[in-house]
Amino acid sequence: MKRDTAVLLLALGQTLVWASLYYIFPALLLRWESDLGWSKADLTAAITIAVLVSAAASPLAGRIIDHGKGALMLGLSSLIGGVGLILLSGVTEKWQFFAVWVLIGLATSGCLYEPCFALITRARGAKAKTGIILVTLVAGFASTISYPAVYTLAEALGWRGAVQVFAALVIFVVSPILWLGGHLLERDNRTERAAPEPKQHSRQFLKTPAFWYLALGFACLAMAHGAALQHLLPILDERGLSPEMAVLAASFIGPMQVAGRIAIMASERYLSNHGVAMAAFLAMTLSMVMLLVSGTSPGFLSGFVILFGSAYGTVSILRPLLAREILGEANFGAKSGALALPYLAGAAMAPYLGSLIWTLGGYDLMLLVLLGVITLGAALHLKAHRFKSTV
């Protein structure tokens, strides 16, 4: 990584943008519920809408990358996200809260993992795996930064002051870093790519069963991850853990994501991408079981953190790699953007649906439902693996 300035900058930018624009929501959910007086369903509906907006804009983001404007998109999108955080710090009405998260959702469509990995894959082709893994090894610590930083700042400045600090970070640090990293990557791509990319019909891949099985399989995993992550602090609160212990547990999910990515690097000679994907589905299943029976048991809670973090850590790397492997490299930005839509839609629906299930039967029922969703996702992924696309 020391020799690859573009990847180093993208890794740092992704770490900070995830900490600021994504993990800040679950880190502040309990404070918003207490301070603003709104229900979990109302609050999580906002993040649902935000991620749906991000999903809807993802295909456009992919086409922007295909046209060589990915660096500009990364920088401007994170800048818009920072403005959204400034507005978030001043909300007093529910409609304002929803409007701000729509804006942040639009911003994240152009600056989180999906566009970043699509940009790396477009620039590096078969060599993209190394760059993606290096970015995620660093960015896996985003939650480790976000949860304790948000907690500490909110205790000292209130949640509004904490959000303002993160807004300044995104505007003055993250946005320039992401733009520069993307610019260097696109510059190297123009220099090294000798042959023009093959031109194919941009929507042809949408007609293949492989695309839909792959997209829906990972969308199921996104639903399970999104529901568990966004509700994690309330789940642990319901089980009687202190706020400090809950924050500590949540903070360790990031390092476990990194551990999962290191495991990919160590096992790539022995396991295919498909094999690692199935292992991730199994690990996510076991993590839900452990959270379901954890209570206040440190052993089960630790098992959940290890398996949940490592499973998602591997999936975030595997999605672009499997997309390239199954769907082909041509027009990869468009394919990546299209795959992101159902994935992000699943992540978007998860927090709100989790809240609705919670009202019916508590978090135990929600976790049982998530086990079924993960099982369905694994079955869909197996179907995708049987197809070899010709797009």
Side-chain angles (χ1 to χ4, degrees):
M1 181 180 283
K2 291 180 180 178
R3 299 178 181 177
D4 195 337
T5 304
V7 169
L8 177 61
L9 289 170
L10 289 174
L12 178 59
Q14 285 296 306
T15 304
L16 297 176
V17 79
W18 274 93
S20 303
L21 298 184
Y22 184 81
Y23 287 109
I24 198 169
F25 192 99
L28 287 173
L29 179 58
L30 285 176
R31 291 182 186 272
W32 287 331
E33 189 178 15
S34 174
D35 183 60
L36 298 174
W38 304 333
S39 69
K40 281 189 180 72
D42 286 340
L43 290 166
T44 53
I47 193 65
T48 292
I49 293 172
V51 184
L52 284 174
V53 169
S54 182
S58 291
L60 175 60
R63 290 194 292 272
I64 292 173
I65 291 170
D66 281 337
H67 283 85
K69 303 296 182 182
L72 182 61
M73 182 183 68
L74 287 174
L76 286 179
S77 296
S78 52
L79 181 63
I80 292 170
V83 172
L85 289 177
I86 292 175
L87 297 174
L88 177 63
S89 69
V91 300
T92 56
E93 303 293 333
K94 197 178 298 183
W95 70 266
Q96 297 170 341
F97 189 78
F98 276 69
V100 165
W101 281 102
V102 167
L103 180 64
I104 295 176
L106 181 63
T108 57
S109 70
C111 65
L112 293 186
Y113 275 164
E114 298 294 339
C116 180
F117 292 168
L119 184 61
I120 294 173
T121 304
R122 180 176 181 271
R124 300 285 171 87
K127 299 178 181 179
K129 184 175 183 178
T130 300
I132 290 172
I133 289 176
L134 289 175
V135 169
T136 55
L137 285 178
V138 179
F141 290 100
S143 64
T144 309
I145 294 171
S146 188
Y147 281 106
V150 169
Y151 180 81
T152 302
L153 288 170
E155 287 291 302
L157 306 173
W159 72 262
R160 297 180 189 275
V163 170
Q164 289 169 358
V165 171
F166 275 90
L169 177 69
V170 173
I171 292 171
F172 296 110
V173 178
V174 177
S175 180
I177 286 176
L178 286 177
W179 171 81
L180 182 56
H183 171 72
L184 293 175
L185 198 66
E186 287 181 333
R187 185 192 64 185
D188 293 344
N189 180 41
R190 287 192 295 268
T191 302
E192 296 176 6
R193 188 177 289 272
E197 296 182 22
K199 298 297 182 181
Q200 298 183 8
H201 194 287
S202 61
R203 296 181 182 272
Q204 183 180 352
F205 63 89
L206 294 174
K207 300 177 182 179
T208 63
F211 171 84
W212 291 106
Y213 285 131
L214 188 64
L216 295 176
F218 279 121
C220 288
L221 206 55
M223 290 184 68
H225 175 264
L229 180 67
Q230 298 291 349
H231 286 273
L232 183 56
L233 294 186
I235 289 172
L236 298 180
D237 180 65
E238 184 178 84
R239 277 153 170 71
L241 264 72
S242 67
E244 292 80 10
M245 286 299 298
V247 167
L248 180 64
S251 300
F252 271 93
I253 290 176
M256 291 306 102
Q257 291 181 12
V258 174
R261 289 155 188 166
I262 293 174
I264 286 184
M265 297 174 69
S267 64
E268 62 181 351
R269 293 184 179 181
Y270 309 101
L271 290 176
S272 65
N273 288 332
H274 168 67
V276 176
M278 294 310 300
F281 277 103
L282 177 60
M284 187 69 78
T285 300
L286 293 175
S287 75
M288 294 299 161
V289 173
M290 289 192 172
L291 185 58
L292 182 63
V293 302
S294 65
T296 56
S297 166
F300 282 119
L301 183 58
S302 298
F304 161 76
V305 170
I306 292 169
L307 293 172
F308 183 79
S310 60
Y312 183 70
T314 59
V315 167
S316 59
I317 291 176
L318 288 172
R319 283 189 295 114
L321 299 176
L322 285 169
R324 181 182 176 276
E325 187 177 291
I326 294 175
L327 303 176
E329 186 176 355
N331 300 318
F332 186 79
K335 291 173 181 175
S336 177
L339 279 170
L341 201 157
Y343 182 85
L344 292 174
M349 292 185 293
Y352 182 65
L353 292 177
S355 295
L356 295 181
I357 297 171
W358 173 76
T359 62
L360 296 175
Y363 281 124
D364 285 352
L365 178 61
M366 187 191 85
L367 293 172
L368 287 172
V369 171
L370 295 183
L371 282 170
V373 171
I374 296 169
T375 302
L376 175 61
L380 289 167
H381 179 74
L382 282 171
K383 293 285 288 183
H385 183 63
R386 295 178 184 177
F387 288 89
K388 185 176 181 179
S389 177
T390 59
V391 299

